[in-house]
Every structure is written in C-alpha cells, then in structure tokens.
Amino acid sequence: MEIKDVFSLKLRDIFSLIISLPITIYVNFRCLPFRTALKLPIFVGYKTRIDKLSRNIKFGCEPTTFMVRIGWGGTEGREQGKKNYLLLNENASLQFNGRCTMSSGVSLILDLGTLEIGENFFFNKNCTFSCNEKITIGDNVLFGWNIEMLDSDNHKVIHKNKETVCDRGAIKIGDHVWVAAFSHILKNSVVPDGSVVAYHSLVTKPFEGEKLLLGGCPAKVLEEQIEWEQ
C-alpha cells in the first residue's frame, strides 16, 4: 500500500489506518535502523499483540513506505477470529525481499529460525508461521486463508528407549506457488516452482520438479505440468 493508495480507501479503512499509526511507528523504530524506520516500510494493524521484538528485520531490496503490511485486509466475508500476533526473538530473523501483505489474523512466531519472504507475497486471513529452523518463500506466492506452516515439532517426543527428539527441518516454497485454504505445511517440505497445493492438504515432504498439483493428507502428486493464474 503506497501513500497514494490511501485516497482510494473506504472510510472504514482510513479510520483503521489512522488508529494503526502508533503501533506501526513503534514497530518500525523498534526493529529497524533509524533512517530505514523513517520510511515506515512496515505497516502493522492496530489489532496486533506484540510479544517480543528484536532488531533482526532486514530488507533484500530498497524499502518503501508500507511495502510490508501486517494484519491488514483479506477476503471480505471471511471471519477474522483472532488478533494478529508477533513474536521475533533475538536468535531469529525476518527478511522481506519485496512487497508483502499478511492479512488480518496473522501469527508470526519466530523463536530461533529465519523466515525469508520474496517479492509480491500475499496470504489471506488467519495464517500462522511457526519458525524454529528456516522457512523460505519465493516470489509471486499466494496463500489462501487459515494456512499453517511449522518447521519443527515444537514439543519434545520421548521414545520408549528414553531418546528425546524435537525434530526441525527447513521449508521451501518456490516461485509462483498457490497454497489453497486450510492447508498445512510441515518441516522438511519443499513445494516446487509453479505448483498448487489443493484445499485442506497436508504437505510433509520435499517434492521435485515443477508445476505440480499437490493434494491430500498427506499430500501427493495429483497432476504434473499444470498452469495457474492469480
């Protein structure tokens, strides 16, 4: 959302924009170098709970005003059942490589890992990112509503032989990927360039190739050499 876009907003959206300015200013000056923060590259919706914030937010491009939108917008008519949530620990990092819209109801939970997001990324309402290893998202990626990505088990599993395991594994989403609503993407998953993850699917492993239609629980290849348009 550029400054010029403000003039095309509805009255309700203008009100939301205005009351979101205090938390937007706080996040920018808390997390970014002073000169970068002056540009206000990150917009944060007022319905956002902040747990922890470090200064480990970076840009892989020249930042512009409101280039990143957190907790703003989404498909009309979809329920917004929760507030936005931000947690960025000292040992975690977040990098934006271009324009990014994270719609209302987003949860960003970065405990230890690295989350890198490409150019022109949009995800719809009520999506969750839990990052303890590494999550990489390519350019021109579209997520539906209620998507969850977890690159670790988050809790320890104690086996019969008393071995304790808390597995982690990187997730990679390629360029021009569409992940349909209510899908889950777990540790060690790879979704190749040009692919589509069907509605309510569970991705648990890396896939090779490109332009795949993935679906099911767990997901498998349903079709190859597909095309999709946003």
Side-chain angles (χ1 to χ4, degrees):
M1 177 172 57
E2 305 290 345
I3 290 295
K4 63 182 180 181
D5 296 331
V6 172
F7 297 103
S8 64
L9 293 177
K10 299 177 181 178
L11 182 61
R12 178 191 61 189
D13 294 331
I14 293 175
F15 176 74
S16 296
L17 175 64
I18 292 172
I19 62 177
S20 296
L21 286 177
I23 192 170
T24 293
I25 293 169
Y26 170 76
V27 169
N28 280 273
F29 283 91
R30 174 68 180 84
C31 298
L32 302 174
F34 182 77
R35 290 188 178 181
T36 303
L38 285 173
K39 299 179 181 180
L40 296 181
I42 303 173
F43 173 88
V44 182
Y46 69 96
K47 292 182 179 180
T48 301
R49 175 190 167 193
I50 296 176
D51 196 329
K52 296 179 182 178
L53 283 179
S54 69
R55 297 186 67 84
N56 295 331
I57 297 180
K58 302 176 182 178
F59 292 91
C61 60
E62 182 64 28
T64 58
T65 302
F66 296 166
M67 184 181 81
V68 174
R69 293 177 282 178
I70 299 175
W72 174 272
T75 299
E76 292 291 337
R78 298 305 305 181
E79 180 183 3
Q80 181 181 341
K82 60 180 181 178
K83 290 187 175 181
N84 315 308
Y85 178 79
L86 294 180
L87 185 152
L88 179 59
N89 276 330
E90 292 293 336
N91 295 325
S93 64
L94 175 58
Q95 178 166 322
F96 298 101
N97 294 327
R99 294 167 296 159
C100 171
T101 298
M102 303 178 180
S103 301
S104 56
V106 59
S107 291
L108 289 177
I109 307 166
L110 281 71
D111 285 316
L112 296 172
T114 299
L115 173 59
E116 182 176 349
I117 298 175
E119 159 70 10
N120 193 31
F121 175 53
F122 176 88
F123 66 78
N124 222 317
K125 293 181 179 179
N126 303 325
C127 291
T128 297
F129 291 82
S130 177
C131 185
N132 285 282
E133 183 71 17
K134 186 173 185 179
I135 299 175
T136 305
I137 298 170
D139 298 335
N140 302 309
V141 172
L142 172 65
F143 278 19
W145 50 84
N146 295 83
I147 304 295
E148 296 203 6
M149 298 184 71
L150 301 91
D151 66 359
S152 77
D153 293 337
N154 284 325
H155 301 287
K156 295 179 179 179
V157 177
I158 303 173
H159 296 279
K160 185 184 295 188
N161 62 4
K162 303 303 181 182
E163 180 184 5
T164 302
V165 177
C166 183
D167 280 345
R168 297 183 295 182
I171 295 173
K172 182 178 180 180
I173 307 296
D175 297 333
H176 189 56
V177 168
W178 173 22
V179 181
F182 291 97
S183 293
H184 291 64
I185 301 176
L186 304 185
K187 63 181 188 291
N188 298 317
S189 294
V190 175
V191 180
D193 294 349
S195 297
V196 174
V197 178
Y199 182 91
H200 218 305
S201 294
L202 174 65
V203 183
T204 61
K205 66 180 183 179
F207 290 89
E208 297 181 353
E210 62 177 9
K211 300 181 179 180
L212 305 178
L213 175 59
L214 307 175
C217 184
K220 61 182 180 180
V221 178
L222 302 178
E223 190 176 342
E224 298 182 358
Q225 294 304 309
I226 65 163
E227 301 283 347
W228 73 275
E229 297 179 358
Q230 186 167 342

